[in-house]
Amino acid sequence: MRVYHCSVAHHASRMKRPVFGVCAVFTVWILFSAPSGSSYPLEVGTESAKLSFVEVGQLQLGFSWRNMSCAVCEAIFATVDIALLVRQTSACVRLHLAEPQSFLWPSEACALLVGPTCGHFDIYAHWNVSLPRVPKPPVKPPTPPKPGSPQSRILFLTDIHWDAQYAEGSLVDCKMPLCCRNDSGRANWKHTGAGYWGTYGECDLPLRTVENLLQNVAKSGPWDWVYWTGDIPAHNVWSQTRAQQLNELVTITRLIHKHLGPNVTVYPAVGNHESTPVNSFPPPFVHGNRSSHWLYDTMAEEWASWLPEGALETIRHGGFYTVEVQRGLRVVSLNMNFCARENYWLMVNSTDPADQLQWLIRILQESENKGEKVHIIGHIPPGLCLSSWSWNYYHIVNRYESTITGQFFGHTHVDEFQMFYDEDTLTRPLSVAFIAPSVTTYVNLNPGYRVYYMDGNYPGSSWMVLDHETFILNLTLANNLPSKPDPNPSWTLLYRASKAYGLSTLFPSDMDALIKVMKNDDRVFQRFWYLFHKGHVSKPCTDTCKTSLICFLHSGRYDLLTHCEVLHGDKHSVRKTMC
């Protein structure tokens, strides 16, 4: 996990003596948890607002606050020189990454960084949403559509991460957290240079690759509609400005308009990288320059040709919305930053930020009353959210399992899914959160995109996922055909789920059965592992890696994921948050 920003939250309820500022806490986090480098604070009198990075030595081999004991964590915060923290805090303020501080005890800081087992912090407080007193309708297991029934073909894009500073021939293995850039240095005979269309490594994509993808999907149409779940900017989070973020939002939005045309509707969702500082999404009660209005207003303006005014109004309010896609089908786009563990604005109040889940319940109840089906899209998978948010969302999905017929997320950059089971026994599969792979190569991946095949459009359609395909740009071929880049590279089909796994549909029962097969048949699991990385695997997955990944597939709720890891003694989860 990488975090290169400091909190702007002012936790007014802290009445204890000032021990550690929140920004200082996260500066310490930066120093210890960045796998590729670490940021030093600016020296006093430095004019340039730039950060330098150094190797962290052995820490880059897998250090994580989540792997640390509470005693060690508290010892760090009890012994680190306070003056150093003050200087780091000053750097955060001067870089416009922090505002007035909140103050934490060591136990509170470790509760935040390591987890609630190390102490109490309000962000982990339990809370519940209120469901209507309307009985849950009897559950009817979904049945496959009749042969020849109409299907809808949906394009799904996520995690584009365009890097405006991407430079062909630059260093791939540089000393910065993001490489293949103008400031990465030039490659020589000892070092690999960045490829024309993209590069395996800690690199994002040049704009030409994004546009080439859009040109190809335009030819691959027609599309019934598009789901687009965010993360437009690159991972250079230490140097981003609001002007740059908005320019990248506008540029990519208009490229999608240009290539897909006016007759294809796109339903976007907000990623965690759209803001600056990264992950910083204040609740709507925060006003003025610290609010997210600068971002939401531009989104509403740029997406106005796709969405009705009612949707634009709730985007301006909190970055979420709902729209009727077709008769009988509604989409809900959630702002998953209000559940994100990395959004430190939630230290102010983590109880249903923006009342988004309560709003979701109202939409679902109205859809249930009308007999509508609902697709939910968002950036961060709910199983990676704050525990209480994740629990409440799981509870909502259970209640409205007959209404919610599709969940679609991104964020992890890899090809996976998470299961939802009945709350009583946790054995009956009732929903699937599909997690599509990224457009970007970050980290060590081929560029890719997803196509979903839905039951519909006809009266009585279930609007459930029947199948999906993943397409990739094979960089090995695209950058070296035969000794120079292919001017017109092919985005090729990597796999179709039904064929790869022998499934007739991708209903919850099918995906649950697939997990059982992967547990017992390692050949199927290794196929999944290959496709998980979009066809570019550098290391095998066995033992605890396999156990952790299968655990993740089971765990659509965060507490189930942590319980499963403890149950199997796994201290090195394969989960990586692409923050």
Side-chain angles (χ1 to χ4, degrees):
M1 182 183 295
R2 286 190 176 81
V3 177
Y4 298 108
H5 79 287
C6 300
S7 174
V8 293
H10 178 61
H11 196 52
S13 64
R14 298 288 130 211
M15 299 302 293
K16 303 171 183 176
R17 67 184 177 88
V19 181
F20 296 106
V22 172
C23 184
V25 169
F26 302 121
T27 306
V28 175
W29 190 356
I30 291 168
L31 288 170
F32 284 93
S33 62
S36 299
S38 177
S39 63
Y40 281 119
L42 291 174
E43 297 296 331
V44 176
T46 303
E47 294 181 0
S48 177
K50 295 181 179 179
L51 297 178
S52 61
F53 292 81
V54 296
E55 284 293 318
V56 191
Q58 296 302 314
L59 291 176
Q60 67 181 350
L61 298 180
F63 178 92
S64 168
W65 287 100
R66 302 287 168 183
N67 297 336
M68 177 179 287
S69 71
C70 298
V72 172
C73 176
E74 292 189 21
I76 290 175
F77 280 97
T79 57
V80 170
D81 178 59
I82 299 299
L84 175 61
L85 294 181
V86 170
R87 289 197 297 272
Q88 289 166 335
T89 302
S90 174
C92 288
V93 173
R94 291 172 59 201
L95 285 172
H96 307 289
L97 300 181
E99 298 288 352
Q101 303 295 300
S102 63
F103 299 99
L104 308 178
W105 290 91
S107 61
E108 291 178 313
C110 292
L112 180 62
L113 295 178
V114 179
T117 56
C118 280
H120 173 74
F121 195 68
D122 286 352
I123 197 170
Y124 295 115
H126 295 291
W127 48 273
N128 295 317
V129 293
S130 299
L131 292 172
R133 295 183 179 179
V134 179
K136 179 178 176 178
V139 175
K140 298 179 181 179
T143 57
K146 296 178 180 179
S149 297
Q151 295 184 11
S152 293
R153 188 165 177 259
I154 315 305
L155 174 64
F156 191 94
L157 302 172
T158 191
D159 296 275
I160 290 174
H161 292 293
W162 159 40
D163 187 359
Q165 296 298 315
Y166 185 96
E168 182 186 8
S170 60
L171 273 177
V172 176
D173 185 20
C174 71
K175 303 302 181 183
M176 299 288 282
L178 182 65
C179 299
C180 304
R181 317 185 79 229
N182 288 324
D183 58 1
S184 299
R186 302 300 297 176
N188 54 39
W189 65 275
K190 293 183 178 180
H191 300 282
T192 303
Y196 181 80
W197 291 110
T199 302
Y200 302 125
E202 295 190 5
C203 306
D204 283 317
L205 287 179
L207 188 62
R208 58 179 165 267
T209 307
V210 179
E211 189 156 19
N212 185 263
L213 179 153
L214 294 174
Q215 290 168 349
N216 275 269
V217 297
K219 297 174 184 175
S220 301
W223 305 103
D224 290 283
W225 64 87
V226 180
Y227 289 149
W228 173 30
T229 59
D231 267 15
I232 301 167
H235 287 82
N236 60 315
V237 297
W238 63 91
S239 64
Q240 291 168 345
T241 66
R242 288 185 177 183
Q244 291 169 345
Q245 302 295 91
L246 295 181
N247 174 65
E248 289 163 9
L249 166 66
V250 170
T251 299
I252 298 300
T253 300
R254 294 184 182 181
L255 278 177
I256 293 173
H257 271 292
K258 172 185 173 182
H259 291 290
L260 297 186
N263 297 324
V264 177
T265 302
V266 178
Y267 299 103
V270 182
N272 63 301
H273 272 266
E274 267 70 276
S275 184
T276 185
V278 64
N279 304 309
S280 178
F281 288 83
F285 61 75
V286 176
H287 300 290
N289 190 51
R290 297 179 187 174
S291 75
S292 292
H293 286 305
W294 64 275
L295 177 62
Y296 297 154
D297 289 349
T298 303
M299 287 177 170
E301 181 179 348
E302 290 299 314
W303 299 345
S305 64
W306 293 328
L307 305 174
E309 181 54 40
L312 301 177
E313 183 178 343
T314 54
I315 287 175
R316 295 186 192 100
H317 171 73
F320 53 87
Y321 65 89
T322 183
V323 176
E324 183 183 50
V325 178
Q326 295 187 18
R327 186 175 179 86
L329 176 66
R330 175 170 297 277
V331 63
V332 171
S333 177
L334 295 178
N335 186 346
M336 300 299 286
N337 295 291
F338 290 139
C339 82
R341 311 183 69 80
E342 295 79 22
N343 182 6
Y344 298 113
W345 274 103
L346 300 187
M347 288 187 288
V348 178
N349 183 3
S350 63
T351 302
D352 194 9
D355 293 323
Q356 181 177 219
L357 288 184
Q358 210 63 58
W359 169 86
L360 171 64
I361 291 169
R362 179 175 61 82
I363 298 301
L364 292 171
Q365 186 59 57
E366 291 174 356
S367 292
E368 180 181 280
N369 295 343
K370 294 185 289 186
E372 282 183 332
K373 302 302 182 183
V374 172
H375 286 172
I376 296 176
I377 65 172
H379 183 67
I380 301 171
L384 296 178
C385 291
L386 283 166
S387 182
S388 282
W389 198 102
S390 183
W391 186 93
N392 277 286
Y393 181 84
Y394 204 93
H395 189 52
I396 293 168
V397 172
N398 261 260
R399 166 59 184 83
Y400 294 99
E401 66 169 292
S402 299
T403 298
I404 300 170
T405 59
Q407 300 182 67
F408 308 94
F409 300 93
H411 184 62
T412 68
H413 294 199
V414 289
D415 188 340
E416 53 191 343
F417 60 92
Q418 283 189 298
M419 294 298 305
F420 287 66
Y421 297 93
D422 70 289
E423 292 180 303
D424 293 333
T425 67
L426 292 177
T427 58
R428 181 177 64 84
L430 55 84
S431 189
V432 183
F434 291 96
I435 304 171
S438 61
V439 172
T440 186
T441 55
Y442 191 95
V443 174
N444 208 33
L445 303 167
N446 283 307
Y449 67 90
R450 166 67 52 81
V451 179
Y452 287 104
Y453 293 88
M454 309 285 185
D455 181 27
N457 173 30
Y458 62 90
S461 166
S462 71
W463 290 110
M464 297 187 73
V465 178
L466 302 177
D467 210 345
H468 65 61
E469 295 175 331
T470 296
F471 290 81
I472 63 165
L473 179 65
N474 187 318
L475 290 177
T476 302
L477 298 177
N479 287 331
N480 304 283
L481 186 66
S483 58
K484 62 180 180 178
D486 185 346
N488 187 28
S490 298
W491 293 76
T492 56
L493 175 66
L494 177 64
Y495 80 104
R496 186 168 178 128
S498 59
K499 185 175 181 180
Y501 301 119
L503 302 174
S504 57
T505 63
L506 304 189
F507 290 173
S509 58
D510 299 304
M511 304 308 288
D512 179 62
L514 175 60
I515 296 176
K516 291 182 172 66
V517 171
M518 286 194 288
K519 284 182 178 180
N520 299 318
D521 189 337
D522 194 60
R523 292 175 301 173
V524 177
F525 176 80
Q526 295 305 330
R527 183 184 308 143
F528 180 85
W529 180 244
Y530 173 77
L531 301 174
F532 176 92
H533 290 95
K534 291 181 283 181
H536 189 255
V537 179
S538 56
K539 296 180 180 179
C541 183
T542 59
D543 301 326
T544 57
C545 170
K546 179 177 178 178
T547 301
S548 296
L549 181 50
I550 289 178
C551 163
F552 179 84
L553 302 180
H554 271 299
S555 307
R557 198 171 79 200
Y558 179 75
D559 66 304
L560 298 178
L561 178 64
T562 55
H563 174 72
C564 185
E565 290 175 351
V566 170
L567 184 67
H568 292 282
D570 179 23
K571 296 182 179 179
H572 303 280
S573 171
V574 296
R575 282 302 95 214
K576 292 183 179 180
T577 301
M578 296 298 179
C579 61

